Amino acid sequence: MLPGKIIYEGKAKSIIETKDPLTVIQHFKDDVTAFNKKKHEVIEGKGIINNFISAFIMEKLEKMVINTHFIKTLNEREQLVKKLKIVPLEVVVRNIAAGSFCKRFNIKEGKRLTSPIIEFFYKNDSLADPMVNENHIIYFGWLFRKEIEKIKIITLKANTFLINLFSNAGMNLVDIKLEFGRLIDNDTKIVLADEISSDNCRFWDKNAHKKLDKDVFRLSLGDLKEAYLEAAERLSLKPVTSFR
């Protein structure tokens, strides 16, 4: 049972108030969606796996002096996180061509990019999350130019670290979608938010290019839970792997 009032209900997570006005609880659901929720299922245990993977990665990033909203894991489905005003942007960094990037530029999936490419998307389901550029971001007041530059630096730093982390676990980090938010008590401080898991990253086996992410669901490639569990096992997350 969720402990408090739900203040935000997302596709894969709920945000729940706490007695502390500076913190909230992030609850991971078992829902999995694709194509702007045109495809939707509930897969038992999926939220638990994502909770543990994301907590593990956020803790690693904090040690790399990358500020995140993560405070601590509360239980198998929930994290205590800092309360934020979310910036309405998805920041995608691509290392290998996949997904919409291939469709937009007619590039074969799997082509390694010569350097990471950062793309911005406006978070708006009714508009299908359109791609935007830095001038749009400044015009609509979502970020100042200095903040855009700071987010790009954080994104590339996190990307470099995660490429190495996943490589050591036998996986390629194909791309990753990041979100950011302003601290509720200090709107000049922007930190990494949301989650980092198989839901918003593409992980491929380094040799066979086997997909261990949400593309398994999007493209009907097999058992999503097994793919997520394999990613967790490769990261040596024992609390998750004992959950089979």
Side-chain angles (χ1 to χ4, degrees), residues 188-228:
T188 65
K189 187 166 184 180
I190 296 177
V191 302
L192 188 60
D194 195 47
E195 67 178 297
I196 299 178
S197 72
S198 295
D199 261 14
N200 63 336
C201 300
R202 283 189 171 93
F203 305 141
W204 291 353
D205 176 86
K206 286 174 69 173
N207 298 315
H209 292 178
K210 175 183 176 183
K211 294 176 171 61
L212 302 171
D213 54 68
K214 199 162 76 169
D215 273 351
V216 172
F217 174 73
R218 288 189 189 99
L219 306 175
S220 301
L221 298 177
D223 189 321
L224 181 79
K225 183 176 175 180
E226 285 300 315
Y228 281 25

Side-chain angles (χ1 to χ4, degrees), residues 13 35 87 97 132 186 229-230 232:
K13 294 183 295 296
F35 312 118
V87 176
V132 296
N186 181 0
L229 280 171
E230 183 173 340

Side-chain angles (χ1 to χ4, degrees), residues 134-151:
E134 295 180 21
N135 291 326
H136 293 124
I137 294 169
I138 294 167
Y139 173 77
F140 287 111
W142 299 323
L143 293 168
F144 296 111
R145 188 169 296 281
K146 286 185 178 179
E147 292 174 326
I148 295 173
E149 294 306 314
K150 181 179 179 181
I151 281 177

Side-chain angles (χ1 to χ4, degrees), residues 11 36 88-90 121-130 142:
K11 296 171 188 170
N36 204 6
L89 295 169
E90 295 176 346
F121 298 85
Y122 173 40
K123 280 174 57 68
N124 188 309
D125 285 346
S126 64
L127 298 177
D129 300 335
W142 299 323

